[in-house]
Amino acid sequence: MAVQGRMKWFSLSLLFFLSLGCAPSTPTSTMPDSRLLGGHWTLVNFGAPWCAVCRKLEPELAHFEKEQPNVRYQHVNVEAKHTSEFKNYFSKYFHGRAIPFTVLIDSEGRARKDWSGYLTYQEIVSDILEVETNMAKEQHH
């Protein structure tokens, strides 16, 4: 019961937090993804259909996408890196790491958190809450 209450609090807190810091950004040459991000926080997952761990992670990410609509979700198939409209993610965030690899990107195109391997919905939410807390502390200093 406490976890459900915390998740509801997190959803409301994240909505408020992201509404404060999500003014649309102006695309620049240093942020090639900003046009695609559209000024929103985005969770990007790099994976492949042949990857068993990637397939195991899919339901957790689908749950995240459904329960946290304030954070956009984008899956990038590493096999289609040259044809994907999100190919800029490869050069900016992926750097050939092992898959699955997931990155939380803020509205200005900065990577705020990344994960390698499998993680649960609760772990994703908890880690994003930690990012939110740390950013709030930075803003108060």
Side-chain angles (χ1 to χ4, degrees):
M1 205 54 142
V3 170
Q4 286 180 337
R6 183 177 168 150
M7 292 303 164
K8 286 180 184 177
W9 175 86
F10 171 75
S11 295
L12 293 174
S13 174
L14 188 61
L15 173 63
F16 175 73
F17 172 73
L18 294 177
S19 69
L20 292 176
C22 284
S25 59
T26 304
T28 68
S29 60
T30 59
M31 293 184 288
D33 306 272
S34 59
R35 177 186 59 80
L36 297 172
L37 294 173
H40 293 85
W41 282 66
T42 305
L43 189 70
V44 180
N45 171 257
F46 296 92
W50 49 262
C51 170
V53 178
C54 299
R55 289 193 309 269
K56 182 179 175 185
L57 180 57
E58 287 174 5
E60 301 296 331
L61 294 171
H63 186 201
F64 179 87
E65 184 176 25
K66 179 182 174 195
E67 295 296 324
Q68 304 299 330
N70 306 326
V71 179
R72 291 188 178 174
Y73 167 71
Q74 179 62 49
H75 172 75
V76 179
N77 180 349
V78 298
E79 296 293 309
K81 69 181 178 184
H82 298 295
T83 58
S84 170
E85 67 178 301
F86 295 93
K87 62 186 172 190
N88 288 333
Y89 285 138
F90 284 87
S91 61
K92 189 167 183 179
Y93 304 110
F94 188 60
H95 304 294
R97 294 179 174 115
I99 56 174
F101 184 73
T102 308
V103 182
L104 176 66
I105 303 167
D106 71 15
S107 60
E108 296 176 3
R110 292 180 300 230
R112 292 292 185 165
K113 176 77 179 169
D114 61 63
W115 304 264
S116 293
Y118 177 80
L119 62 158
T120 66
Y121 167 78
Q122 288 80 13
E123 290 171 320
I124 298 169
V125 170
S126 176
D127 285 352
I128 293 174
L129 183 57
E130 182 180 325
V131 168
E132 174 190 18
T133 301
N134 291 338
M135 288 181 67
K137 287 178 184 177
E138 289 173 12
Q139 289 177 353
H140 285 102
H141 286 116

